[in-house]
Amino acid sequence: MKDTYDPWEIEEKWQKEWEKTKIFKVTEVPQKPKYYVLEMFPYPSGRIHIGHVRNYSIGDVVARYKRMQGFNVLHPMGWDAFGLPAENAAIAHGIHPAKWTYDNIDYMRRQLKRLGFSYDWDREFATCDPEYYKWEQLFFLEMYEKGLVFRKKSPVNWCPGCQTVLANEQVEDGQCWRCGSEVEIKELEQWFFKITAYAEELLKYCDELKGWPEKVLVMQRNWIGKSEGAEIKFPLEGREGEITVFTTRPDTLYGVTFMSLAPEHPLALELSKGTPQEAAVKAFVERMKKQSHIERTAEGAEKEGVFTGAYCRHPLLDRKIPIYVANFVLMEYGTGAVMAVPAHDSRDFVFARKYNLPIVVVIQPQDKTLKPEEMEDAYTEPGILVNSGPFNNLSSEEAKEAIPKYLEERGLGKKAVSYRLRDWGISRQRYWGAPIPIIYCPKCGVVPVPKEQLPVILPLEVTVKGKGSSPLADYAPFYETTCPKCGHKARRETDTMDTFVESSWYFARYACPDEDKTPLDKKRVAYWLPVDQYIGGIEHAVLHLLYARFFTKVLRDLGWVEMNEPFMNLLTQGMVCKETYRCPEHGYLVPDEEVKDENGQKICVHCGKEVEIGRLEKMSKSKKNIVDPEKLINQYGADTVRLFILFAAPPERDLEWSAQGVEGAHRFLGRVWRLVKDALPYIKDKETYQEGNLNKDGQRLHRKTHQTIKKVTEDIERFHFNTAVSALMELLNTMTDFWQKGNRDETSCRIMREAIETFVILASPFVPHIAEELWHTLGHTNWIIDEPWPRWDEEAIKEERIWIVIQINGKVRARIEVPAEISKEEIQKMALEQERIQQLLAGKEVKKIIWVPSKLINIVV
């Protein structure tokens, strides 16, 4: 055994051994309980970052711990490989997206292997592999057959300069991120998945996900957004047709004084045609196309609109109602039309005041009488109906039932349920994605690609350019085809699928990545799924997690899986944060490269100006407050990086980066190494302690060993990794103290071996390389991950207890029972918390506290 801890030699050695022997490869063992732990797979951006290290370290602790508990553990890794960054790299650097992606995968795989994660690499795949997206295309076709896929016109962000569609994240302050052109909203034919068909089930099953954080479930429930209310029809004045609205406040129907349409509503332009308002409406609608929905609906945003020149009729009153187009109404919510009740809706109130529209009070509170001309804001609370015909004097809640019933009897409306959730638009006018398996025939129309012709391969021999539509639309060898129905010349769909589709079922494919006849081997999928523990960032709380839940239910209904939900338990880890360094002239700076110390100040190396040290923020390339994991591994070793990441904060909390903390983790592992080296000559040939008389030091170490087993076990189960590591640090201190006291007799050496072996096993999920090395150094020949997780002895963890006298100014005032090894700080705290002692000390100043170990504590006042 070397004198000093050499992490790089140890880590390289065991990584090679693990890979050579494939110790993490797993197959189905029906008689053994399974455990499937999965971290959200990464996008191959080129380098792993500290957030990746945190995510995957958490998963690795769970995977190793569960295997040592006797579970058959599936712990796979792969790549979410399609997406926009690859196209941007192609444009910026002239490199093909495929080469960029696969080169990045190779580099990141090497980085992950250096961290010693227990992945079954034989299950690895990238979602850009045709062998993967072939089955995604099959699911598309099966969903199409079931009516779960449809095509319709939908608004997209359009850059007139680049002549291309932009993702939302490519629109910055209403402008194209690449060329700066004003972005327009344009309607294009898009493909959609009918997720709304599963809205109620998705909502209902939120109550079944007991292992999910409540904040995630709240976000999903809000996104699904179930509302109960009524659909009400407002006939158009002087023409055929009607406007249907959905409202959660049918009790306010008699207070409607105008109608608001979304700028995208098909009637917005239609109603103004031939009226003096036509030009104004058209200009307003065009202006709204350049504003995002977030801008239009933001709190504090100006409420504005334009009269269409048209009217509708109130369904229960002989009253014409003017129809406006309003910026705060969105087509995505309800029907895209809102019955405006300014007396009882804040936005309508502001709008009515601005455009001098009538305000009619129809709900009066119990304690005062509202007058429209005196109101400063809408009254939105419950009350008693007034000015509401036959419904006067009903309570709001009574009217919510009575009015829809009255409308339904007259064919004017009905009770209804609405969802905020909208169908999932999956069309992307992008190259680097899975082709949509559809053909357009001038004779037959929309024709699905026959299943036997899958996959529709994404051609690699194309040039990705910054302007225009996807290169697929200009690449004749791809889009030119024949209709599978009639043989006529036809054209392939050139849109590709949203990359969220790939990540909506990858977890199921990990169960059988080698299956080449069907997308999923039902037997293997039934064994492994659902995922027992899923780990990832809170930023995926809605889209990815909701889409994965939807896709699972679709696969169930298509007969591919049996489960209702994909992830039994979910852990959302916090962010990794670090302070920023900013120069007034050069902006954000990389601390290690662009900042120097000069007379106690941080100085910019470029201009010599003082650098401002900012607050803690999430690590990001733009803020230049990132830390390169590879540099840390080269400096300290992978186990140190893992240990710091796991010790610095609970997984669900944000982690504050600390260079001193990394140093401390490295010193701790050095202490472990030195203690084992010192003890090894004495304990190597000894058996672990089983029974026999122990001296006081031996009793203390034996007790601490079993207390640590209990503590670490319970903490890992609760994901309290930071306190589990803290318990290991306490055990190391107790072992060190025991050994430094010269305990070298036979029994002491056995108890020391028990403690060291237990420590190494308990530490192995956190720091697997040094644990493996020490395990074999102790003479073992099996892999430490195959060693059963230790169990604590309830008798051993019981502490000896003694009675302590509490005195005030030398007079006995109380007695308490405490652990025999209690510290001065602990007994002082306990004594001062005693109710009788607090009463006697009330209003008095404690001058000092005298502690006589194992006997008494004297409080001097």
Side-chain angles (χ1 to χ4, degrees):
M1 189 174 180
K2 282 189 172 183
D3 289 342
T4 56
Y5 170 47
D6 182 350
W8 307 279
E9 180 183 328
I10 291 168
E11 288 167 8
E12 185 178 2
K13 168 187 170 182
W14 291 113
Q15 286 162 16
K16 284 180 178 176
E17 286 295 315
W18 294 337
E19 188 161 3
K20 183 173 72 177
T21 55
K22 292 185 179 291
I23 69 164
F24 306 124
K25 183 176 174 61
V26 66
T27 56
E28 299 72 36
V29 183
Q31 63 272 26
K32 202 173 183 183
K34 68 91 183 178
Y35 194 88
Y36 185 177
V37 59
L38 180 64
E39 305 96 53
M40 294 180 186
F41 64 167
Y43 180 78
S45 57
R47 300 287 185 275
I48 63 168
H49 53 68
I50 287 293
H52 287 129
V53 177
R54 189 181 196 196
N55 191 9
Y56 306 145
S57 295
I58 291 167
D60 202 48
V61 170
V62 176
R64 290 174 178 272
Y65 167 72
K66 288 295 182 180
R67 177 161 165 180
M68 296 172 82
Q69 281 199 315
F71 287 90
N72 192 27
V73 175
L74 174 58
H75 189 208
M77 174 51 68
W79 311 95
D80 192 7
F82 275 138
L84 198 55
E87 286 192 50
N88 293 339
I91 295 163
H93 307 297
I95 184 173
H96 194 281
K99 178 170 173 48
W100 185 83
T101 300
Y102 283 109
D103 285 351
N104 288 349
I105 286 173
D106 289 343
Y107 192 90
M108 292 175 70
R109 185 191 302 109
R110 287 195 296 273
Q111 288 185 302
L112 292 178
K113 286 185 175 181
R114 282 197 71 187
L115 282 154
F117 297 132
S118 58
Y119 296 129
D120 180 354
W121 283 105
D122 286 355
R123 293 175 183 262
E124 177 192 16
F125 58 76
T127 57
C128 61
D129 298 336
E131 295 80 11
Y132 180 82
Y133 67 74
K134 167 185 180 177
W135 304 120
E136 189 172 305
Q137 292 171 341
L138 176 68
F139 294 147
F140 178 99
L141 297 176
E142 292 185 343
M143 291 170 71
Y144 183 81
E145 291 168 359
K146 294 278 187 180
L148 293 172
V149 177
F150 65 96
R151 190 168 178 251
K152 70 171 183 177
K153 278 195 170 182
S154 179
V156 295
N157 301 312
W158 176 260
C159 172
C162 296
Q163 289 289 296
T164 190
V165 173
L166 302 178
N168 286 335
E169 59 269 25
Q170 293 177 309
V171 180
E172 298 174 351
D173 298 323
Q175 297 179 330
C176 172
W177 69 293
R178 188 181 291 128
C179 74
S181 298
E182 287 287 326
V183 173
E184 302 171 357
I185 304 297
K186 189 174 181 178
E187 288 217 328
L188 291 180
E189 290 282 356
Q190 309 270 292
W191 285 99
F192 288 81
F193 284 164
K194 200 169 180 57
I195 190 173
T196 53
Y198 288 82
E200 187 61 34
E201 188 181 352
L202 287 166
L203 186 64
K204 175 187 169 188
Y205 271 87
C206 283
D207 297 334
E208 306 293 320
L209 299 172
K210 306 299 184 187
W212 283 42
E214 184 58 30
K215 61 182 176 181
V216 174
L217 295 174
V218 167
M219 291 168 78
Q220 293 222 348
R221 290 186 185 108
N222 290 342
W223 190 264
I224 295 166
K226 182 178 181 179
S227 299
E228 296 185 356
E231 274 187 5
I232 304 174
K233 299 172 184 177
F234 288 75
L236 292 172
E237 173 77 3
R239 67 177 78 196
E240 289 295 313
E242 60 195 17
I243 295 174
T244 300
V245 303
F246 171 82
T247 178
T248 58
R249 295 293 308 272
D251 54 319
T252 65
L253 176 59
Y254 282 81
V256 175
T257 61
F258 62 97
M259 179 71 65
S260 300
L261 299 181
E264 303 85 3
H265 197 289
L267 288 176
L269 294 173
E270 181 67 28
L271 292 174
S272 65
K273 282 182 181 176
T275 75
Q277 293 296 109
E278 183 174 1
V281 171
K282 187 174 182 181
F284 181 79
V285 169
E286 288 300 315
R287 184 157 61 87
M288 289 302 104
K289 285 182 178 180
K290 296 176 181 178
Q291 290 186 11
S292 72
H293 290 179
I294 294 173
E295 290 175 293
R296 281 166 47 189
T297 58
E299 194 171 339
E302 183 185 2
K303 308 295 183 288
E304 55 178 329
V306 62
F307 177 45
T308 62
Y311 295 84
C312 59
R313 297 204 67 82
H314 194 290
L316 299 181
L317 297 170
D318 185 20
R319 183 194 298 166
K320 280 198 314 181
I321 297 171
I323 303 170
Y324 279 73
V325 180
N327 66 337
F328 57 87
V329 182
L330 300 180
M331 198 65 209
E332 285 76 8
Y333 302 130
T335 64
V338 173
M339 64 175 216
V341 187
H344 305 293
D345 181 275
S346 294
R347 292 184 307 179
D348 296 341
F349 182 89
V350 172
F351 194 90
R353 281 276 194 258
K354 181 173 182 175
Y355 294 102
N356 296 314
L357 294 164
I359 297 175
V360 177
V361 174
V362 292
I363 307 284
Q364 290 285 6
Q366 300 273 18
D367 56 346
K368 60 180 178 180
T369 300
L370 299 174
K371 296 180 180 179
E373 63 275 10
E374 296 175 358
M375 294 175 71
E376 295 180 0
D377 195 1
Y379 176 73
T380 58
E381 299 301 313
I384 302 300
L385 267 69
V386 296
N387 300 322
S388 297
F391 305 101
N392 283 342
N393 299 318
L394 290 183
S395 70
S396 301
E397 293 307 310
E398 289 171 331
K400 284 180 182 178
E401 295 294 322
I403 291 177
K405 184 179 177 184
Y406 185 82
L407 290 168
E408 191 160 5
E409 289 169 354
R410 288 155 179 77
L412 299 171
K414 61 181 180 179
K415 286 192 76 171
V417 173
S418 180
Y419 296 92
R420 181 177 182 268
L421 182 67
R422 286 295 175 261
D423 287 317
W424 174 10
I426 65 153
S427 291
R428 296 293 179 269
Q429 293 71 39
R430 296 286 165 202
Y431 163 67
W432 193 236
I436 294 174
I438 288 291
I439 292 169
Y440 301 106
C441 172
K443 185 178 176 184
C444 304
V446 176
V447 182
V449 172
K451 294 174 184 177
E452 62 272 14
Q453 292 182 16
L454 298 180
V456 177
I457 297 280
L458 182 70
L460 300 183
E461 57 282 1
V462 299
T463 302
V464 179
K465 34 188 206 314
K467 288 184 178 286
S469 57
S470 160
L472 295 178
D474 300 323
Y475 188 61
F478 176 77
Y479 69 73
E480 287 181 350
T481 187
T482 55
C483 174
K485 275 189 177 179
C486 69
H488 195 281
K489 280 187 178 180
R491 184 181 178 93
R492 285 194 190 280
E493 171 65 78
T494 56
D495 284 357
T496 54
M497 287 195 234
D498 179 6
T499 55
F500 275 117
V501 180
E502 282 88 65
S503 59
S504 293
W505 70 284
Y506 77 106
F507 45 87
R509 183 66 181 173
Y510 277 141
C512 51
D514 57 342
E515 175 57 53
D516 60 0
K517 298 292 188 295
T518 62
L520 298 171
D521 178 335
K522 295 179 186 178
K523 188 175 180 182
R524 285 191 280 172
V525 167
Y527 175 80
W528 287 116
L529 273 86
V531 175
D532 295 282
Q533 183 65 58
Y534 200 37
I535 303 164
I538 189 71
E539 66 272 18
H540 301 292
V542 175
L543 295 182
H544 162 58
L545 289 169
L546 191 65
Y547 291 155
R549 294 182 60 217
F550 159 66
F551 221 81
T552 297
K553 295 175 191 303
V554 170
L555 293 181
R556 175 202 63 198
D557 292 347
L558 293 174
W560 289 111
V561 301
E562 298 173 359
M563 60 193 176
N564 294 312
E565 290 287 340
F567 315 120
M568 296 301 293
N569 298 286
L570 173 69
L571 173 70
T572 53
Q573 89 276 3
M575 299 181 294
V576 182
C577 302
K578 190 176 184 293
E579 71 277 1
T580 57
Y581 289 75
R582 199 170 191 278
C583 168
E585 184 175 336
H586 293 93
Y588 290 107
L589 305 174
V590 179
D592 296 340
E593 300 171 13
E594 300 176 288
V595 179
K596 62 181 178 180
D597 286 307
E598 200 171 277
N599 300 323
Q601 291 183 323
K602 301 291 184 184
I603 303 297
C604 173
V605 298
H606 305 296
C607 64
K609 291 183 179 177
E610 186 176 352
V611 170
E612 176 190 341
I613 301 177
R615 60 186 174 85
L616 288 169
E617 295 191 55
K618 178 186 176 182
M619 285 189 181
S620 69
K621 291 178 182 177
S622 62
K623 300 285 177 67
K624 295 190 176 181
N625 63 337
I626 56 175
V627 174
D628 183 357
E630 199 150 27
K631 284 185 179 178
L632 290 172
I633 295 169
N634 291 338
Q635 187 174 357
Y636 297 105
D639 280 343
T640 291
V641 178
R642 291 172 57 129
L643 185 66
F644 168 73
I645 285 280
L646 295 164
F647 175 61
E652 71 281 1
R653 301 281 295 276
D654 288 349
L655 184 155
E656 181 179 337
W657 186 260
S658 164
Q660 294 80 9
V662 180
E663 287 276 2
H666 189 64
R667 287 196 301 272
F668 170 72
L669 294 179
R671 285 183 58 207
V672 173
W673 184 269
R674 289 191 297 275
L675 179 63
V676 175
K677 181 183 178 297
D678 290 346
L680 191 63
Y682 299 89
I683 68 171
K684 185 163 188 178
D685 298 324
K686 299 290 190 293
E687 295 290 326
T688 57
Y689 173 78
Q690 299 296 327
E691 58 182 15
N693 293 326
L694 297 172
N695 61 21
K696 192 172 182 180
D697 290 338
Q699 290 173 3
R700 179 168 173 255
L701 179 55
H702 184 57
R703 184 185 310 119
K704 191 66 173 178
T705 299
H706 284 265
Q707 288 174 339
T708 305
I709 296 171
K710 185 174 190 290
K711 175 69 173 165
V712 172
T713 303
E714 292 174 347
D715 282 351
I716 291 178
E717 289 285 351
R718 296 178 301 189
F719 296 98
H720 293 181
F721 301 141
N722 56 322
T723 52
V725 173
S726 182
L728 289 169
M729 291 175 172
E730 289 181 19
L731 178 57
L732 178 65
N733 290 338
T734 305
M735 290 191 297
T736 302
D737 180 66
F738 176 82
W739 201 245
Q740 287 177 346
K741 286 181 177 178
N743 292 290
R744 302 290 189 274
D745 60 86
E746 178 75 16
T747 303
S748 293
C749 288
R750 288 174 181 268
I751 206 73
M752 186 65 172
R753 181 169 182 111
E754 177 199 34
I756 287 177
E757 281 200 0
T758 300
F759 179 95
V760 170
I761 294 169
L762 296 178
S764 65
F766 304 90
V767 286
H769 306 91
I770 189 173
E772 196 77 75
E773 178 70 16
L774 295 178
W775 184 249
H776 284 78
T777 299
L778 289 166
H780 297 285
T781 56
N782 64 318
W783 300 112
I784 195 167
I785 201 170
D786 290 329
E787 185 68 13
W789 190 257
R791 300 180 178 218
W792 65 88
D793 182 340
E794 286 290 349
E795 287 300 314
I797 65 175
K798 289 180 180 176
E799 296 195 39
E800 180 188 350
R801 300 184 70 81
I802 57 174
W803 285 92
I804 294 293
V805 169
I806 303 175
Q807 297 178 341
I808 297 178
N809 290 341
K811 292 184 178 180
V812 176
R813 298 301 187 187
R815 288 180 174 82
I816 55 173
E817 188 182 25
V818 299
E821 296 177 17
I822 194 167
S823 67
K824 179 182 178 181
E825 291 74 20
E826 290 171 318
I827 186 63
Q828 181 175 310
K829 184 173 183 290
M830 289 178 69
L832 293 173
E833 286 175 349
Q834 296 293 306
E835 186 177 350
R836 174 165 164 71
I837 300 301
Q838 287 181 343
Q839 291 171 352
L840 294 169
L841 292 177
K844 297 174 183 175
E845 180 187 351
V846 176
K847 294 181 178 178
K848 64 177 178 178
I849 296 177
I850 300 166
W851 166 233
V852 181
S854 302
K855 291 186 178 179
L856 63 85
I857 184 169
N858 184 20
I859 303 167
V860 180
V861 296

